[in-house]
Structures are given as C-alpha cells and as structure tokens.
Amino acid sequence: MASFDKDSLSNTFIVAVGICLVCSVIVSGIAVALKPQQQLNRELDQKQNILRAAGMLPADSNVDAQGRTVDELFAEFEVRVVDLTTGEYLDDIDPSTFDPIKAARAPETSMALSAEQDIATLRRRENASEVYIMRGEQGIEKLVLPVRGYGLWGTMFGYLALDADLQTISGLGYYNHKETPGLGGEVDNPRWKAAWAGVQLFDSAGQPDVRLVKRRSEASLPAANYEVDALSGATFTTRGVQNMVNFWTGELGFGPFIQRLKPSA
Ligand SMILES: Cc1cc2nc3c(=O)[nH]c(=O)nc-3n(C[C@H](O)[C@H](O)[C@H](O)COP(=O)(O)O)c2cc1C
C-alpha cells in the first residue's frame, strides 16, 4: 500500500483549499445570519438621527427625558413619500423600500440640474423623496426632511427638522460625511448644532435665505434671525451646509411640499 505523504505538494494544496473552503462557509454563514440584525441597526440609527434633528432625543442617550425609547418616539412620525415637483403625496411608493439615492441616479426617476440650479452639487435630483411628519392636536408639530450636499471632501447626508410653523428650524444633524474632524467635521459639534434651533428659513418673499456667517448681525436686526455661525477654518464645508439647506427647502427641493402643508396655503 502506497504511504500517505502529508508533506507532498498536492496534499498541502488540498488541505489549504479545504481550510479556505471551511472558513469561507463559516464567514458567509455569519454574514448572512447577521444581515437582518444589521438592517435593524441601520433602521434604528436612521430613526435616532431623525429624532435628534427634531430635538426629541438627546445626543448622548437612546431614551428621552420621559424614558421613551427610539421606537416609541419614532412611532409618532408619519412617513410619506412626496413628489418634489408638485409637493403632493405619492401613496403608491412604499417609503420603507424607497431609495432616494438610487432614484437620483436613474434618468427616469430624477432630473438633471443645471450648474445654476445645482447649488448643493448633486448633479441630479430625485423626483420623489421621503418626509417625516409629526402631527398633534393643532396640526403639524414637526417636519423632518432628508438633505444632502457636497462639503469639501464628499457628500454630506443629514436631516433638517422644522417646527410647526414650517418657517423655524428645529434642528440640523448629519449622519454621514467625510469632512475633517476639527474643521468641517465640526458640523457634529453639539454647540454648533444647538445654534440651529430657532433660525428662520424663508425671507419675506418666501425664499429660503439661511446664511452661515463669520460675524453675526446685531440680534436686533431681522437678518440675525437667518444667521448661523460659519465653521472656522472650513469655508467649503460651511458653504456646502448653507447651500444644501437653501436648496432642499427651495423650489427644486421640498419648497412646493412645504407650501402645500402651510395652513394658510
Ligand atoms: C488637511 C486639511 C483638511 C481640511 N479639511 C477641511 C474641511 O473639512 N472643510 C473645509 O471647509 N476646509 C478644510 N480644509 C481647509 C480648506 O482647505 C481651506 O483652507 C479652508 O476652507 C479655508 O477656510 P477659512 O477661510 O475659514 O480659513 C482643510 C485643509 C487641510 C490642509
């Protein structure tokens, strides 16, 4: 009987391939098994970001002051998809499966923006987007809108929340950006974020006019209501933030939808 040579080239190869196969099956199995949990974590993260932008969840906690959890708080929101051109609801699109970024890539579900229109550097804007609405006895209490736009190093993704009057900003928060920590990354600084609450959005002509300024106007002047401190040493990020807020609340963004929602409209 021929003896088994465990050091032969072919046997070494077979053992190596066998080990690789076993390992890859284990790794793939774990990846597949964890997928639902990863999806749940992504959804929880998104809910937290929306609630934080709306000022309903502290930055350092997963429950509010009354101990309500993220899911309990988020249940107060109605999630809808709106047609950005008409501002009407699109009830045939399921918000849970709708992907605005994918929609923005396809010519049939988005529009190309001209250089003049494209202040947020998007190139294309999706035809529809999801919105998060919280209603109370008096009508709308909060409206949260997804916003995105280019900073210095890449696209910044966040949520802008408006108060019941749909004129006053309640908060702005980013959940994904590539800006430099300490410079553009200061968009995550809680002190800077807190300064957004109360900022006015639309000017007397109904156009969004938020300004990020190096020196704020005298508090007594009307202009002060529209101003937020610029980020020092981060002119490009600052400009990106200003442009994305004004783009997404303007005529090419959620402007038509906001107008439709206003009680007087
Ligand atoms: C390593 C490095 C990282 C930077 N990161 C940012 C950034 O995240 N956002 C930004 O606007 N500028 C960033 N800058 C600075 C810009 O290049 C530019 O100098 C700055 O925006 C000018 O802003 P200022 O007029 O407020 O000084 C960075 C510069 C360097 C060298």
Side-chain angles (χ1 to χ4, degrees):
M1 197 176 83
S3 67
F4 179 75
D5 179 5
K6 66 180 171 54
D7 293 328
S8 75
L9 191 62
S10 60
N11 283 340
T12 305
F13 184 72
I14 288 166
V15 169
V17 169
I19 290 173
C20 287
L21 272 176
V22 170
C23 290
S24 62
V25 166
I26 292 171
V27 171
S28 317
I30 291 172
V32 169
L34 287 180
K35 218 167 184 178
Q37 189 56 47
Q38 286 173 337
Q39 179 61 26
L40 278 180
N41 287 345
R42 264 197 296 274
E43 281 169 21
L44 183 70
D45 193 46
Q46 188 200 25
K47 289 175 186 172
Q48 283 176 347
N49 289 315
I50 291 165
L51 292 168
R52 291 206 169 107
M56 294 166 64
L57 189 69
D60 52 357
S61 171
N62 287 340
V63 290
D64 76 349
Q66 283 81 47
R68 286 178 298 178
T69 64
V70 170
D71 281 325
E72 283 167 349
L73 290 165
F74 191 76
E76 294 185 32
F77 279 94
E78 186 184 314
V79 187
R80 304 287 291 269
V81 175
V82 296
D83 181 320
L84 290 175
T85 309
T86 63
E88 285 171 12
Y89 291 115
L90 291 172
D91 288 327
D92 52 332
I93 300 181
D94 177 0
S96 66
T97 53
F98 178 68
D99 181 348
I101 308 303
K102 206 168 154 192
R105 280 195 214 113
E108 59 278 12
T109 50
S110 64
M111 62 177 275
L113 297 169
S114 69
E116 196 191 334
Q117 294 172 323
D118 195 12
I119 55 172
T121 321
L122 304 169
R123 287 200 224 135
R124 303 191 70 85
R125 188 223 67 192
E126 56 275 28
N127 295 335
S129 181
E130 71 273 36
V131 292
Y132 304 86
I133 305 160
M134 195 175 106
R135 294 181 199 271
E137 280 169 19
Q138 311 293 322
I140 288 183
E141 285 185 1
K142 297 264 185 202
L143 171 65
V144 184
L145 308 168
V147 293
R148 66 177 193 282
Y150 219 76
L152 174 65
W153 302 115
T155 302
M156 308 165 68
F157 297 84
Y159 291 105
L160 175 74
L162 306 185
D163 281 337
D165 59 2
L166 303 176
Q167 159 71 18
T168 307
I169 293 176
S170 152
L172 173 70
Y174 291 99
Y175 59 90
N176 186 343
H177 67 77
K178 299 186 177 68
E179 306 308 287
T180 314
L183 295 171
E186 285 296 289
V187 289
D188 296 330
N189 184 321
R191 275 224 323 260
W192 184 78
K193 284 166 74 173
W196 281 87
V199 170
Q200 299 299 294
L201 192 52
F202 299 107
D203 64 14
S204 53
Q207 297 303 312
D209 194 19
V210 168
R211 292 177 217 166
L212 273 72
V213 292
K214 286 196 174 160
R215 183 186 278 257
R216 298 243 297 278
S217 306
E218 285 280 330
S220 58
L221 295 173
N225 298 325
Y226 297 85
E227 292 173 352
V228 178
D229 283 331
L231 298 161
S232 53
T235 300
F236 294 103
T237 310
T238 297
R239 198 177 302 147
V241 171
Q242 174 176 306
N243 286 343
M244 96 173 70
V245 170
N246 290 330
F247 175 86
W248 284 106
T249 51
E251 205 48 39
L252 290 162
F254 294 98
F257 174 66
I258 294 171
Q259 288 314 314
R260 287 182 79 89
L261 275 192
K262 283 194 172 169
S264 56

